[in-house]
Amino acid sequence: MITEEKKEEKSLNFIEEIIEADLQAGKYKEIITRFPPEPNGYLHIGHASSICLNFGLTKKFPGYTNLRFDDTNPTTEDTEYVESIKNDIRWMGFEWENELYASDYFDTLYGYAIQLIHKGLAYVDDSSSEEIATLKGTPSEPGRNSPFRDRSVEENRLLFEQMKNGTFPDGSRTLRAKIDMAHTNMLMRDPILYRIKHAHHHRTGNNWCIYPMYDFAHGQSDSIETVTHSICTLEFVPHRELYDWLIEQLGIYPSHQYEFARRNLNYTVTSKRKLLQLVQEKHVNGWDDPRMPTISGLRRRGYTPASIRDFCDRIGVARRENMIDVGLLEFCVREDLNKTSLRRMAVLDPLKVVITNFPEELSETCLSENNPEDIAAGMREILFTREIFIEREDFMEVPSKKYFRLAPGKMVRLKGAYIIQAESVVKDENGEITEVHCTYVENSKSGQDTTGINVKGTLHWVSAKHGVPVEVRLYDRLFSVENVASEEGDFKDYINPDSLNIITGYAEPALRDAKPGESFQFLRKGYFAADPDGSTEKPVFNRTVTLRDNWAKAAEK
Ligand code: ATP
Ligand code: MG
């Protein structure tokens, strides 16, 4: 498992090595890559890896990257997905050279199919899918020829034309490549090239009722676009032979396929089909729910493009599948937000503190730095008053030995303000503490000389008079098991029931003006991003990540 690792000068990954060798050998002057999503869902963190790889290569080497929608499956595709995909890639900081669609090549692909028929390399098969499966054989047993395999070129041409013209119902016929039913690679046993599907396509409407299969669209699209390095994930290794065979038989531009390992994250599902189920069955509130591993979900959660690119860069490109610790993704966003986010104070579980020797009417201006990592971010004013809120966990009536926060008789520093000492508590009828009465030490304001006073803890706080209530959405991992895909039964049985906890806290008034998407560090609590659901009356914040890795801590216990 890959976890946090030191970032150092990286050597070339294996695909970069191949490209560098190709360029040095003069095989290409420039390279062309493509990112080929199927518009049947939103992009997820696995896709981010492929985006960074494909676009990253043409940043490093001369050439460009196309965005190609692999839209050959009319029933699952939609323009909503097309728009979200474009938006997400741009947000990640990449721009494609050309926006292309496999469906734009339907005429060309049809022409290619006719060519194969003329060469005696494709035939129309009337067998049902069950019959085709039965004749296919097994990895250890050869398949058998279809009774329709030896049709004449003329008959095949005519039947294929009728397939195209809508003469036949769905599933009644297919066009198959004529290769070898005893081939050791099962995918070479007369693979299906076209199927009949009377369905509306999001771009070509009702023009077509036959659609090319993945294997007869992907490589051909690569070739039409003169893609030099077509990068896909490992499950396509067995398809490469067919990819090469089709290009060779058609005599078209020789694109080459290279495979790298699909990226899997623990505690996460990265399969569009499963993510779609989570959305449709309302386990989450849409594709951009901040618990989703989609790019839109991560964005709403407060992830930055830089943090996602950094993550993809750190995990690199592998030849073998492995599981990546989602903690690394969280580490990357902490790193980035630590540098860039403004510091603010918000109390998530408020306990009232009354400073009995502080004048009731006074609101005293204090100063606190906006970002200690970035002096240029400057200071901000916060108002200190007699009544404030602190975190309930920051007070203990009977403190343990190592407790350096507030307790009767003990002193703490309030961030940017005064040192206070707890004197007494007020309790309700159930014995629960409702107020802590304190006194403040005069001349102990931040910046003043306090030599001789020994204070170990510094607490964040919010003025009760000036603070604003904020809704805070505390997210945790959506799944409670590490390897969701390997668990028995339905993956949805492993959804973490505590993945969302909504609370109301108090925040300093500046947070009222937070713009949707803006990120802050709530001192001592973590990083939080303003959610579009919020308003100036009731701001809403999503917890992006805690300041430290709580899961690692829990695992140590
Ligand atoms: P899913 O299984 O989630 O539906 P997919 O491979 O069917 O994924 P596509 O839209 O076809 O989704 O993928 C576009 C590109 O992104 C492909 O080149 C694919 O190999 C790559 N890709 C998809 N998932 C991952 C992943 N987890 N890690 C790396 N690359 C991925
Ligand atoms: Mg796919």
Side-chain angles (χ1 to χ4, degrees):
M1 180 143 63
I2 299 178
T3 52
E4 286 177 29
E5 51 184 41
K6 286 259 169 325
K7 230 182 140 182
E8 45 196 55
E9 241 343 274
K10 285 249 174 81
S11 49
L12 295 184
N13 67 48
F14 77 95
I15 292 179
E16 291 168 343
E17 277 174 7
I18 292 169
I19 292 176
E20 186 152 280
D22 284 349
L23 289 170
Q24 269 172 14
K27 206 164 154 189
Y28 309 106
K29 282 207 173 54
E30 57 170 21
I31 59 159
I32 303 175
T33 62
R34 85 290 171 262
F35 174 64
E38 187 179 347
N40 61 351
Y42 281 60
L43 297 181
H44 53 61
I45 186 71
H47 294 115
S49 219
S50 175
I51 291 170
C52 288
L53 174 59
N54 280 296
F55 286 90
L57 286 172
T58 55
K59 279 203 165 164
K60 192 160 198 157
F61 300 105
Y64 61 83
T65 302
N66 289 333
L67 167 61
R68 183 205 316 142
F69 289 99
D70 227 340
D71 57 347
T72 55
N73 193 1
T75 48
T76 54
E77 294 160 5
D78 199 276
T79 42
E80 175 198 344
Y81 300 134
V82 169
E83 292 312 313
S84 79
I85 289 169
K86 293 202 289 189
N87 186 35
D88 287 349
I89 299 173
R90 287 208 173 104
W91 178 77
M92 286 212 16
F94 298 106
E95 190 62 51
W96 49 89
E97 182 85 4
N98 302 296
E99 178 183 330
L100 304 162
Y101 293 82
S103 58
D104 285 346
Y105 311 137
F106 281 168
D107 281 313
T108 311
L109 295 173
Y110 182 78
Y112 287 162
I114 299 281
Q115 271 185 51
L116 291 180
I117 290 174
H118 279 287
K119 288 180 86 174
L121 293 174
Y123 61 96
V124 172
D125 195 340
D126 301 1
S127 310
S128 66
S129 54
E130 294 76 28
E131 285 161 343
I132 290 178
T134 317
L135 293 178
K136 190 119 203 183
T138 66
S140 54
E141 257 176 74
R144 278 168 293 143
N145 287 351
S146 156
F148 304 96
R149 198 174 196 262
D150 293 319
R151 278 180 160 149
S152 69
V153 166
E154 196 40 42
E155 191 183 0
N156 280 320
R157 207 188 51 74
L158 206 71
L159 283 169
F160 188 49
E161 206 173 292
Q162 287 175 317
M163 273 172 67
K164 178 192 184 228
N165 292 338
T167 311
F168 309 122
D170 286 6
S172 60
R173 280 176 175 83
T174 53
L175 182 75
R176 298 178 70 180
K178 193 171 181 176
I179 307 179
D180 178 3
M181 287 305 291
H183 204 288
T184 48
N185 180 349
M186 298 275 290
L187 286 169
M188 297 293 278
R189 294 183 186 173
D190 292 9
I192 295 174
L193 305 180
Y194 267 94
R195 65 208 188 287
I196 301 174
K197 210 169 218 172
H198 292 266
H200 183 89
H201 185 279
H202 73 108
R203 296 190 86 235
T204 58
N206 295 323
N207 291 356
W208 293 86
C209 62
I210 55 170
Y211 290 94
M213 301 298 286
Y214 171 87
D215 285 315
F216 196 62
H218 202 94
Q220 286 52 50
S221 303
D222 285 342
S223 181
I224 291 167
E225 297 162 10
T226 66
V227 167
T228 55
H229 298 78
S230 171
I231 300 158
C232 58
T233 41
L234 286 180
E235 67 272 24
F236 290 99
V237 168
H239 295 250
R240 196 194 321 134
E241 202 169 2
L242 180 55
Y243 183 104
D244 292 341
W245 186 89
L246 285 166
I247 283 180
E248 195 185 329
Q249 300 308 324
L250 292 167
I252 53 180
Y253 180 85
S255 298
H256 289 283
Q257 176 184 302
Y258 302 89
E259 307 87 10
F260 79 112
R262 179 171 278 273
R263 290 343 212 134
N264 304 309
L265 260 72
N266 59 6
Y267 300 101
T268 308
V269 301
T270 46
S271 144
K272 275 184 282 187
R273 190 177 50 79
K274 288 182 181 164
L275 296 176
L276 179 65
Q277 268 185 61
L278 293 175
V279 173
Q280 283 179 338
E281 297 170 21
K282 301 207 179 335
H283 297 284
V284 294
N285 304 313
W287 285 99
D288 69 344
D289 185 301
R291 288 167 293 181
M292 290 281 271
T294 50
I295 295 181
S296 51
L298 291 168
R299 174 167 58 234
R300 190 162 177 185
R301 176 87 170 243
Y303 274 77
T304 57
S307 64
I308 297 177
R309 289 195 306 261
D310 183 32
F311 170 73
C312 295
D313 196 37
R314 282 168 190 269
I315 61 176
V317 181
R319 283 176 198 268
R320 270 195 297 149
E321 282 212 16
N322 59 5
M323 182 74 93
I324 295 167
D325 185 5
V326 67
L328 180 62
L329 183 61
E330 295 164 353
F331 168 83
C332 291
V333 78
R334 270 188 209 106
E335 285 265 296
D336 191 38
L337 291 177
N338 180 44
K339 284 184 257 157
T340 56
S341 69
L342 298 180
R343 272 53 171 176
R344 293 291 181 258
M345 292 203 278
V347 171
L348 305 187
D349 183 13
L351 171 63
K352 187 175 268 185
V353 168
V354 181
I355 296 151
T356 53
N357 59 342
F358 195 86
E360 204 145 339
E361 297 312 315
L362 187 61
S363 291
E364 191 176 334
T365 305
C366 300
L367 282 178
S368 194
E369 66 269 80
N370 277 325
N371 183 357
E373 302 286 320
D374 176 14
I375 304 300
M379 309 281 280
R380 73 187 185 288
E381 294 184 348
I382 359 170
L383 294 175
F384 185 69
T385 50
R386 177 184 166 96
E387 296 195 350
I388 61 168
F389 292 117
I390 63 166
E391 254 3 291
R392 189 163 281 275
E393 63 174 17
D394 284 341
F395 178 79
M396 257 181 118
E397 195 176 12
V398 185
S400 53
K401 232 179 157 188
K402 292 237 156 142
Y403 193 77
F404 298 123
R405 292 174 264 171
L406 197 60
K410 298 254 166 117
M411 286 187 182
V412 291
R413 146 101 39 219
L414 295 174
K415 175 73 186 168
Y418 289 100
I419 292 172
I420 58 167
Q421 175 167 351
E423 309 289 352
S424 60
V425 296
V426 178
K427 294 184 181 177
D428 65 12
E429 60 274 20
N430 303 320
E432 187 163 351
I433 298 169
T434 52
E435 280 179 13
V436 179
H437 287 192
C438 295
T439 51
Y440 82 104
V441 179
E442 277 182 52
N443 300 321
S444 70
K445 205 169 164 183
S446 278
Q448 287 186 304
D449 183 11
T450 55
T451 29
I453 311 176
N454 188 16
V455 185
K456 286 221 171 81
T458 299
L459 307 185
H460 63 279
W461 56 276
V462 168
S463 157
K465 188 169 166 190
H466 301 286
V468 292
V470 290
E471 178 175 317
V472 181
R473 300 176 180 171
L474 302 172
Y475 297 103
D476 205 339
R477 294 176 182 174
L478 187 52
F479 290 91
S480 46
V481 292
E482 203 173 339
N483 189 344
V484 187
S486 76
E487 297 289 340
E488 279 182 19
D490 188 349
F491 77 100
K492 288 175 271 128
D493 295 343
Y494 301 94
I495 292 178
N496 175 6
D498 301 316
S499 63
L500 172 58
N501 181 15
I502 301 178
I503 58 166
T504 298
Y506 280 90
E508 56 178 280
L511 285 173
R512 199 183 263 150
D513 304 319
K515 288 181 233 24
E518 205 176 348
S519 280
F520 301 92
Q521 184 192 97
F522 289 0
L523 288 186
R524 300 173 64 228
K525 287 281 127 189
Y527 295 98
F528 294 77
D531 191 87
D533 284 351
S535 60
T536 41
E537 286 74 51
K538 185 81 186 266
V540 174
F541 288 92
N542 296 317
R543 182 171 69 197
T544 311
V545 69
T546 51
L547 289 181
R548 273 171 289 278
D549 185 347
N550 295 332
W551 284 69
K553 249 192 295 172
E556 279 166 22
K557 274 181 197 153

